[in-house]
Amino acid sequence: MAYKGEVKATVTTVFPLPAEEEKALKDTLQEILGIGAKVHLEQKIDPSILGGIVLEFNQKVFDMSIKTRAQQMERILREPVNIGSI
């Protein structure tokens, strides 16, 4: 695929993307990757991400899922607070 200028992208969501959103995502990826690249978008369904999307392409992962955001928030909230600095 790489020598043909084709890029496989995988998008993970809780529900299947509607056709217009899938096209918009594919068009955006096409703009990011440039004119010579052809995007092949694969959809995966994973209810465990709770919402949002996880996008993978070119060995990069863009995790914009509710699950990851909640884990980040939990980690921040569990950090000890230094009362002396307040």
Side-chain angles (χ1 to χ4, degrees):
M1 279 179 78
Y3 73 90
K4 291 182 182 179
E6 298 175 350
V7 176
K8 178 183 173 190
T10 304
V11 61
T12 303
T13 57
V14 174
F15 300 106
L17 288 175
E20 60 274 4
E21 288 182 20
E22 181 180 5
K23 182 181 180 329
L25 179 59
K26 196 172 181 178
D27 291 346
T28 301
L29 285 172
Q30 189 70 53
E31 287 178 28
I32 291 169
L33 295 170
I35 296 170
K38 180 173 169 72
V39 177
H40 293 281
L41 190 62
E42 175 187 335
Q43 284 195 50
K44 287 186 181 177
I45 306 303
D46 183 0
S48 75
I49 69 168
L50 303 176
I53 68 170
V54 178
L55 181 62
E56 302 171 57
F57 69 97
N58 280 355
Q59 300 177 349
K60 295 179 182 131
V61 177
F62 297 94
D63 189 341
M64 297 164 276
S65 67
I66 300 296
K67 179 181 179 180
T68 297
R69 298 292 184 227
Q71 288 171 341
Q72 291 169 341
M73 185 65 79
E74 180 182 19
R75 189 180 68 245
I76 291 168
L77 291 172
R78 290 185 183 272
E79 289 179 5
V81 175
N82 185 354
I83 303 285
S85 67
I86 296 179

